[in-house]
């Protein structure tokens, strides 16, 4: 029986993404993961607009739809993710801390557009102190006041078009020499999480890992790893 308040959320639309979503769904079944799933394959959730109109805003819409159905423990997984074993340790972190955020090693001075920082009244010097969290995999307990506030702010930021920017360096996003490129929803959620005192409580190669192959052979993974990020799917 599925866990009643946990929900895994994913959208895979266009290109290789539907195949990635199918792989995600099948590997979750293979490992016996019992959380509910809102996985949108080759379609957008009701109320979402295409990525070309508002970058990654569909993530916020999909999470809000899960929330509207009463799920309180939400875990977003990109279509590049597949499951290696049940996600018990990730759900435990969400239960204990109210969230699961993985530090990706960048800071917001490097990835946040001027539009995003200005909307929150944050200068780039302060942004340099804010760690960026990955949004290929993140979790929230929206049964808490803080968790719901983060989701609402994330959705509001998306609606304002503040995820938008160029994935390669573009001086119209910022001319600051520290700025590298936009990371869209990732930069936005990192800023929002920091404002609510949610410091990263995860790191790569613990529960989540980027898969690296050497000579066509997958490098051994730590036993703790639940989820693997493995690019596009042929």
């Amino acid at each position: 029986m599925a866990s009643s308040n946990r929900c895994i959320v994913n959208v895979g639309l266009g290109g290789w993404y539907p195949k990635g979503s199918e792989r995600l769904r099948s590997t979750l079944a293979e490992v016996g993961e019992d959380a509910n799933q809102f996985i949108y394959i080759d379609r957008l959730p009701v109320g979402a607009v295409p990525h070309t109109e508002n970058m990654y805003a569909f993530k916020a819409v999909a999470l809000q739809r899960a929330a509207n159905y009463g799920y309180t423990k939400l875990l977003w997984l990109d279509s590049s993710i597949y499951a290696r074993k049940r996600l018990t340790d990730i759900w435990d972190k969400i239960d204990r801390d109210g969230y699961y955020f993985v530090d990706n090693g960048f800071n917001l001075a490097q990835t946040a557009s001027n539009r995003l920082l200005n909307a929150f009244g944050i200068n780039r010097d302060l942004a340099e102190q804010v760690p960026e969290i990955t949004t290929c995999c993140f979790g929230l307990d929206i049964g808490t006041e803080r968790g719901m506030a983060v989701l609402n702010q994330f959705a509001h930021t998306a609606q304002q078009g503040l995820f938008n920017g160029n994935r390669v360096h573009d001086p119209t996003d910022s001319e600051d020499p520290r700025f590298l490129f936009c990371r869209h929803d990732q930069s936005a959620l990192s800023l929002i999480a920091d404002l609510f005192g949610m410091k990263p409580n995860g790191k790569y190669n613990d529960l989540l890992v980027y898969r690296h192959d050497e000579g066509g052979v997958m490098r051994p993974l730590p036993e703790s790893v639940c989820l693997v990020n493995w690019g596009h799917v042929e």
Side-chain angles (χ1 to χ4, degrees):
M1 180 178 293
S3 179
S4 60
N5 64 348
R6 295 173 176 174
C7 189
I8 293 166
V9 184
N10 164 270
V11 176
L13 176 66
W16 62 266
Y17 296 101
K19 290 183 179 179
S21 296
E22 291 280 10
R23 179 185 62 178
L24 172 62
R25 185 165 64 182
S26 66
T27 56
L28 288 169
E30 287 167 9
V31 301
E33 176 56 43
D34 65 353
N36 295 275
Q37 299 173 22
F38 273 25
I39 297 182
Y40 299 86
I41 299 178
D42 220 12
R43 64 189 180 95
L44 287 169
V46 173
V49 299
H51 176 72
T52 52
E53 294 182 25
N54 193 354
M55 291 181 167
Y56 300 103
F58 60 78
K59 288 190 178 185
V61 175
L63 288 165
Q64 284 191 310
R65 285 191 61 78
N68 290 343
Y69 275 84
Y71 298 112
T72 56
K73 309 291 176 67
L74 306 181
L75 180 65
W76 171 272
L77 299 177
D78 273 1
S79 298
S80 58
I81 299 285
Y82 69 85
R84 182 170 178 260
K85 65 179 185 178
R86 287 185 64 177
L87 312 186
T88 304
D89 291 339
I90 291 177
W91 293 119
D92 285 348
K93 279 185 179 283
I94 296 171
D95 289 341
R96 185 187 68 233
D97 300 336
Y99 62 93
Y100 176 58
F101 293 149
V102 176
D103 191 334
N104 77 344
F106 286 89
N107 66 66
L108 283 192
Q110 297 172 302
T111 68
S113 69
N114 287 346
R115 293 183 299 279
L116 176 64
L117 295 181
N118 291 342
F120 284 85
I122 304 293
N123 64 43
R124 204 160 289 274
D125 290 337
L126 289 175
E128 197 167 19
Q129 307 307 311
V130 179
E132 189 172 80
I133 56 177
T134 186
T135 51
C136 70
C137 165
F138 66 93
L140 273 175
D141 180 357
I142 62 165
T144 68
E145 183 177 347
R146 183 170 67 160
M148 180 58 82
V150 168
L151 178 58
N152 288 340
Q153 186 63 67
F154 184 62
H156 179 66
T157 304
Q159 291 165 0
Q160 291 179 301
L162 294 173
F163 291 0
N164 292 322
N166 203 321
R167 185 61 180 86
V168 298
H169 181 76
D170 186 340
T172 62
D173 290 322
S174 176
E175 294 183 343
D176 191 287
R178 291 166 289 187
F179 176 73
L180 302 176
F181 39 66
C182 278
R183 290 308 305 266
H184 316 293
D185 61 299
Q186 188 158 285
S187 300
L189 184 61
S190 302
L191 178 52
I192 295 164
D194 189 73
L195 291 173
F196 281 90
M198 293 175 163
K199 301 298 183 185
N201 60 350
K203 59 183 180 180
Y204 279 110
N205 301 317
D206 183 6
L207 305 179
L208 169 70
V209 68
Y210 270 105
R211 174 176 159 181
H212 297 287
D213 288 5
E214 296 177 352
V217 178
M218 186 170 72
R219 192 183 302 171
L221 301 177
E223 183 59 33
S224 60
V225 168
C226 303
L227 295 170
V228 181
N229 193 336
W230 180 229
H232 71 273
V233 181
E234 298 295 342

